[in-house]
Amino acid sequence: MPYKDKEKLKEYNKEYYKNNKEEIIKKVGEYRENNKQKIKEYKKEYQKEYNQTEKGIKVRTIRDWKRRGLICDDYDELYDKYIIAENCEECEVKFEGNGRNQRCMDHDHTTGLFRNFLCKRCNLKRR
């Protein structure tokens, strides 16, 4: 590529793609067809790494809330509060691990609206 300026290079690449779109699509299709297993393994490894990142954990947590019926106007803001919450809003016990003191998202099962951050014990009592 003759361009050192990123903007000129970007324009050159756009123009090249526009002029050679069909050929590029054909080559990409052939590569995918011939390397299905390699691509599958790459995606699996990438997903494993992504799931360990802060963003990956956040995305999975919010997806899980939605799947369980939690309704909220701003999931990002709620997640930030969820991460900061240290104590149960009912019994004031400190959140710890996955036992009775596990942090739970209490929500109304009829409307789906969020109510409180509770420990697992208080959440089970409230149902």
Side-chain angles (χ1 to χ4, degrees):
M1 304 295 153
Y3 301 107
K4 291 184 181 181
D5 181 17
K6 287 185 179 185
E7 288 302 316
K8 286 184 179 180
L9 179 61
K10 193 175 180 180
E11 283 300 315
Y12 171 82
N13 287 338
K14 245 186 208 181
E15 191 64 32
Y16 181 84
Y17 180 79
K18 187 175 156 183
N19 294 333
N20 300 288
K21 186 176 182 177
E22 291 175 15
E23 185 181 336
I24 292 170
I25 290 172
K26 182 181 174 189
K27 284 183 180 181
V28 168
E30 288 173 3
Y31 177 82
R32 286 184 178 157
E33 189 63 37
N34 296 332
N35 295 285
K36 283 182 179 180
Q37 188 62 31
K38 183 178 178 181
I39 293 169
K40 186 178 181 178
E41 289 170 12
Y42 171 79
K43 284 182 177 180
K44 188 175 183 178
E45 190 61 35
Y46 176 81
Q47 191 65 41
K48 190 185 289 186
E49 290 176 20
Y50 175 76
N51 286 342
Q52 302 305 313
T53 66
E54 192 174 313
K55 185 176 180 184
I57 293 168
K58 180 178 180 178
V59 166
R60 278 194 341 275
T61 302
I62 292 173
R63 183 187 62 215
D64 187 45
W65 291 346
K66 289 177 181 179
R67 194 172 55 233
R68 292 174 183 228
L70 183 90
I71 297 172
C72 177
D73 291 335
D74 189 352
Y75 288 100
D76 291 325
E77 182 181 331
L78 185 60
Y79 181 81
D80 293 341
K81 289 178 182 177
Y82 172 78
I83 293 300
I84 294 170
E86 293 181 358
N87 298 321
C88 174
E89 293 179 12
E90 186 101 2
C91 69
E92 296 297 321
V93 71
K94 185 169 178 61
F95 294 130
E96 296 176 330
N98 292 326
R100 293 184 303 182
N101 297 343
Q102 178 182 356
R103 176 181 14 217
C104 294
M105 298 290 292
D106 179 41
H107 66 285
D108 185 318
H109 288 252
T110 307
T111 64
L113 297 175
F114 167 74
R115 291 190 290 218
N116 299 91
F117 300 111
L118 299 177
C119 66
K120 192 172 189 176
R121 187 175 2 159
C122 291
N123 191 36
L124 290 173
K125 283 181 195 175
R126 188 172 270 190
R127 286 186 178 187

